[in-house]
Amino acid sequence: MKICVVFCVVVALAMGSPVPQNTRQGSCTSAARSLLSNLSHIMEKEGKMKHQDLFAGFNCTDLEARMIPYTHTASVCQPIATDNTSCSNSRSSSFSETECLRNISGDLHYYDLLLNSYQPSVSDLGPVMTATKDLMLCLKANGDAAEGEFPQWVVWSGSSFDDRLSLCKTLKGFHVRAITMNRALAYIASGDHRK
């Protein structure tokens, strides 16, 4: 009997296949990973980039992250809780892929506008800006573009030092949000929310 059970388990594992990617969002997970990688690169180097030190004169790691106050990505992209989940079940509604993707697109749209408005435009931000655009285009190609206008969120004051402080806080917030985006897109691509 034990040999039969072991044999069945081995056969099941040998014939197993990876989790099929959601054909709509599976391709966007690599774009999301690229964005996170580019943001992580800036944060790990503490702003010391090829062309200049983005955070010269202060310790960026000591500053708080500035999050976008107009989207709800963290809450609407929270996976459906299962019975064996140890995390708090603060959400009572079911997971909405559409709402999650709309909020992710909104975040990307806003950070894209924000980073493009940074003066002077820093070439060291180019990889982050490109990765942001790539993920936006991927989501748009899959029918999940952000719509509507965003309220003005004044970040840049015109003072070089203050603007670099704001850039640090903004990039830290974007980094945190990129982690959430990666997790949400991986969850969507796994198809677990459809089970």
Side-chain angles (χ1 to χ4, degrees):
M1 180 69 168
K2 289 181 184 179
I3 294 173
C4 181
V5 171
V6 171
F7 178 73
C8 290
V9 170
V10 170
V11 169
L13 290 173
M15 300 199 55
S17 59
V19 175
Q21 287 191 343
N22 175 334
T23 54
R24 271 187 69 201
Q25 300 310 329
S27 62
C28 294
T29 56
S30 61
R33 278 192 305 272
S34 175
L35 174 61
L36 180 57
S37 174
N38 282 299
L39 283 163
S40 295
H41 177 73
I42 290 175
M43 301 317 293
E44 287 168 3
K45 292 184 129 310
E46 297 177 353
K48 292 172 181 61
M49 306 307 292
K50 183 177 180 180
H51 298 101
Q52 70 179 28
D53 186 349
L54 297 174
F55 310 141
F58 58 90
N59 187 353
C60 185
T61 57
D62 290 343
L63 301 175
E64 76 278 359
R66 181 179 289 150
M67 305 299 290
I68 297 177
Y70 309 116
T71 62
H72 306 285
T73 306
S75 61
V76 299
C77 292
Q78 181 179 349
I80 297 171
T82 59
D83 292 337
N84 59 358
T85 303
S86 61
C87 297
S88 66
N89 296 330
S90 59
R91 284 187 36 154
S92 58
S93 61
S94 63
F95 179 82
S96 170
E97 179 178 341
T98 304
E99 188 66 22
C100 177
L101 293 171
R102 185 178 307 122
N103 275 268
I104 289 173
S105 293
D107 286 339
L108 291 168
H109 179 70
Y110 201 83
Y111 280 113
D112 181 58
L113 292 173
L114 198 64
L115 293 176
N116 278 305
S117 70
Y118 181 72
Q119 296 296 326
S121 181
V122 179
S123 60
D124 290 318
L125 293 177
V128 169
M129 295 166 78
T130 300
T132 302
K133 283 275 192 220
D134 290 347
L135 185 51
M136 287 173 63
L137 291 172
C138 181
L139 292 173
K140 185 176 182 178
N142 289 306
D144 297 308
E147 297 178 13
E149 294 294 318
F150 291 93
Q152 281 292 0
W153 191 30
V154 179
V155 175
W156 317 125
S157 68
S159 159
S160 174
F161 184 79
D162 291 339
D163 285 354
R164 288 184 293 107
L165 276 172
S166 290
L167 178 65
C168 164
K169 293 175 185 180
T170 300
L171 289 175
K172 284 180 77 168
F174 195 13
H175 185 252
V176 170
R177 191 51 50 93
I179 293 169
T180 302
M181 290 176 194
N182 271 269
R183 289 179 177 169
L185 289 172
Y187 179 68
I188 291 168
S190 75
D192 285 350
H193 62 292
R194 293 195 177 101
K195 292 179 182 176

